[in-house]
Amino acid sequence: MTTANEYTLVEKPILERLQTQGYRYIPPSEHGSLRLGENEVLFKPLLVEALVRINALPTVDAEAIFNELAGLSDNQRWLEVLRGHYSRKLPGEETHRTIRVIDFDQLSNNDFACTNQLRVQGVGVRKPDVLVYVNGIPLVVIEAKSPLNSSQNAFDAIDQILSAERDVPRLFHSNLFNVATNDLTFMYGATGAPREHWSRWRDPWPRKAEDFANETEKGLSALLEPSRLLDILAHFVVFETRDGKTVKKLCRYQQLRAVNKMVQRVVNDQHRAGLIWHTQGSGKSLTMVFAALKLKFHRGIKSERLENPNLLVITDRIDLHNQIAATFQACGLPNPIIAESIQQLRSAVGAEVRGRTIISTIFKFNWDEPQLQSKDRRQREEAVRALAIPGSENWIVMVDEAHRTQEKDLGAYLQAILPDAVRFGFTGTPVKKGDKDTFQNFGAKGETYLDKYVIDDAVADGATVPIYYQGRMTEWHLHDKEIDVLFEQWFANEPEDKLAELKKRGVTKGDLARFAPRIALIAQDIWAHFRAHVAPDGFKAQICAIDRLACVAYKKALDQVITKSLMKTEHLSEDEAKARASAMSVCVYSPGQHDGEQHPELVSYQIPPEDVTPKLVPRFLDPNDPLSFIIVCNKLLTGFDAPIEQAMYLDNPLTDHNLLQAIARTNRRYGS
């Protein structure tokens, strides 16, 4: 009778499953003959044979290359080597020669192997349950736990891998990613990823979840089927460097799924468009990076459609433009051109070159040719046709927030300039059913979305947290039909001259929203809620007001409320309390041309625009900085990734996409 334990229930089935997927099994008895010692993890005979086989090298040269690779300890450099970015001068040859350790073009030319219980000597001794090798190079570590052991689970397996990364780092020099499973829960994480950044692979596309007996079978197929493993290796791993810190990032299932659908569409040339809806917080910028990597390098794919295409990434807002440009650059995508002016974009797009990656905004397509403004319809149509550049079929366009960027002339100019380009639209919010233009511009006939990843998916994956709405101070809500009645009630005690002025020009929602007693009561409610439910967990908040004057009104009211609170609860002097209160909030809005003359307070409370991103945002992201509230009306509502912001106090009549994008500031995961 077979004993039910970790080996029989999980480890052995993993090895058997991998063998059915095309891996050969190497028993522990062969470990000694494949490596130079227990402090080594490369299987020398297998790697030397692969170097000879793939590169047509003499064995002596392959052994010299092995010795060089055996001393390589940087994981990022290993990824470059695995992808073919490695060359050296061989004896008898005058120039450097590219050396490949993986054959992406011919899958069968690689040796896929799995083994178990490899004894590795480091600071201590570790024996990982399962290792996945390609051409003698260990790429994946798998730790298994028994589903019958109630005291251990997949998270304990993650902790075991993190501990092994510290104790036997040599095992992870060439590592691509790691897996932890107890059959009930299957999780994966990039090399060095902390526990909170491990994920489940819920969708085994192009197969279905019901095709598999358990989570481990599903995960092994989705991540480790040989062609899938090489696809991930070649196109779906990046190292992102920001503020001097480098983080390895691995795709999530929706990113791989969407990108491969895009590539299939380009290769098949059946539909030259597609619309991708991936909800906010799901890594849309990284999806674009992965798409760029695969469209440019497409290892393992032979297609004339992918012969060094030009890529154009379009946004419609400066903050999104900066965010995507920074992501592309931080991930080391080769030579992206950031077109900051109309002339620079015209020059970059108009040149007959191949292989360019250009990032710009839709507004740079305002190519204001005089003929385009002609009153004669024929002249206008001829002018539009004249904009078309030669070779536009070699361009692939990715348009962020596609529902906003293709309206009226700018979208028409983009289409006219690149009439034969493949066009992919991205959106973080659902496109309204009545928005026929967006579906027409980016959807194939009869298709809505090429790929969808909705809010419920992100919450189920733990990629974002649920958003909870609570209506507060309902007696101060504003409704169009009630404006006249509310005006008479709220402004009854105002001076006659002010009442006359308001009645003459017409009362607006802004007048009511900025009504001082209303602002004061809401500020009191915000502070009470923040102090009780947000601050204790180390989080921060945004206040979204109706306009710039309302931002200042909230800042003043909040300062007063917090000052009184600090004097009462912490027994501070009035001056100390005022200073503390003032440091807790700032207003962020765009300057107006006549602010100094018409509204001096807007100048007094404004943060200079050039200081917002480099100075203010880092303060808000810092949990130790006293800045707790950012008060806005439009700015920092999109393209602002601040997981520490877990509450938004909304006093602005936003609707549709603007509302969804605003409240999604609060759905980011923060910490563990």
Side-chain angles (χ1 to χ4, degrees), residues 1 3 34 58 65 87 91 155 174 214 277 340 364 414 471 610-611:
M1 182 176 178
T3 303
L34 293 173
I65 292 170
S87 64
F155 294 98
S174 59
N214 53 49
W277 166 25
E340 303 288 5
K364 302 299 185 297
L414 171 59
E610 64 272 15
D611 289 345

Side-chain angles (χ1 to χ4, degrees), residues 517-529:
R518 175 181 184 273
I519 293 285
L521 284 172
I522 294 176
Q524 182 75 49
D525 186 60
I526 287 174
W527 175 241
H529 180 272

Side-chain angles (χ1 to χ4, degrees), residues 232-473:
I232 293 172
L233 167 62
H235 312 112
F236 292 97
V237 182
V238 294
F239 284 84
E240 187 172 8
T241 302
R242 294 181 188 268
D243 302 322
K245 183 180 180 181
T246 300
V247 177
K248 185 177 185 178
K249 293 191 173 182
L250 185 67
C251 66
R252 298 206 289 264
Y253 67 84
Q254 79 277 6
Q255 294 170 321
L256 181 142
R257 185 183 66 202
V259 169
N260 280 329
K261 286 181 180 180
M262 293 169 63
V263 172
Q264 285 177 359
R265 188 145 287 185
V266 174
V267 171
N268 296 337
D269 198 33
Q270 184 176 3
H271 303 292
R272 299 182 66 80
L275 184 61
I276 292 95
W277 166 25
H278 282 193
T279 191
Q280 296 164 94
S282 63
K284 188 152 52 74
S285 296
L286 267 183
T287 302
M288 290 184 168
V289 170
F290 293 136
L293 281 172
K294 187 151 187 177
L295 290 166
K296 289 184 75 68
F297 298 114
H298 52 275
R299 296 174 178 90
I301 301 175
K302 296 291 186 182
S303 170
E304 292 183 5
R305 301 289 176 186
L306 290 175
E307 287 302 320
N308 211 16
N310 294 310
L311 303 182
L312 175 62
V313 182
I314 297 292
T315 64
D316 72 330
R317 291 184 178 173
I318 296 298
D319 50 4
L320 292 175
H321 168 73
N322 293 340
Q323 176 184 323
I324 289 176
T327 301
F328 271 57
Q329 291 174 317
C331 292
L333 203 77
N335 305 317
I337 298 171
I338 315 300
E340 303 288 5
S341 68
I342 293 176
Q343 187 56 45
Q344 189 178 3
L345 178 64
R346 293 188 74 149
S347 175
V349 172
E352 292 191 42
V353 294
R354 301 294 295 268
R356 284 191 169 179
T357 300
I358 302 171
I359 304 172
S360 190
T361 63
I362 189 66
F363 306 108
K364 302 299 185 297
F365 279 89
N366 189 16
W367 296 8
D368 196 15
E369 320 295 71
Q371 299 93 325
L372 293 172
Q373 311 306 321
S374 172
K375 294 182 179 180
D376 184 275
R377 179 181 174 183
R378 178 180 294 180
Q379 287 185 356
R380 287 200 310 274
E381 291 176 348
E382 290 177 354
V384 168
R385 285 195 293 271
L387 289 174
I389 66 169
S392 67
E393 68 276 4
N394 298 321
W395 285 84
I396 299 172
V397 181
M398 292 190 283
V399 181
D400 194 24
E401 299 301 344
H403 59 278
R404 293 198 309 243
T405 58
Q406 299 303 292
E407 298 175 358
K408 300 181 181 179
D409 291 345
L410 295 177
Y413 293 172
L414 171 59
Q415 285 186 291
I417 293 162
L418 298 168
D420 299 315
V422 182
R423 299 159 54 82
F424 293 108
F426 289 79
T427 178
T429 54
V431 176
K432 291 185 293 186
K433 291 183 179 180
D435 186 355
K436 296 180 180 179
D437 289 343
T438 300
F439 289 121
Q440 184 176 341
N441 287 334
F442 294 100
K445 187 175 182 180
E447 175 185 88
T448 52
Y449 300 101
L450 176 62
D451 194 75
K452 280 196 309 185
Y453 182 77
V454 301
I455 295 173
D456 289 345
D457 293 322
V459 172
D461 289 335
T464 62
V465 298
I467 298 174
Y468 297 102
Y469 166 77
Q470 182 180 20
R472 302 180 66 83
M473 307 289 290

Side-chain angles (χ1 to χ4, degrees), residues 461-507:
D461 289 335
T464 62
V465 298
I467 298 174
Y468 297 102
Y469 166 77
Q470 182 180 20
R472 302 180 66 83
M473 307 289 290
T474 55
E475 65 273 24
W476 292 103
H477 288 185
L478 302 177
H479 303 284
D480 291 335
K481 294 180 180 178
E482 300 173 3
I483 283 183
D484 290 339
V485 175
L486 293 173
F487 173 74
E488 296 295 340
Q489 291 177 354
W490 294 1
F491 288 80
N493 298 320
E494 293 295 313
E496 289 295 330
D497 57 340
K498 183 176 181 180
L499 286 173
E501 178 191 346
L502 288 171
K503 288 180 178 180
K504 182 177 179 180
R505 67 170 171 80
V507 65

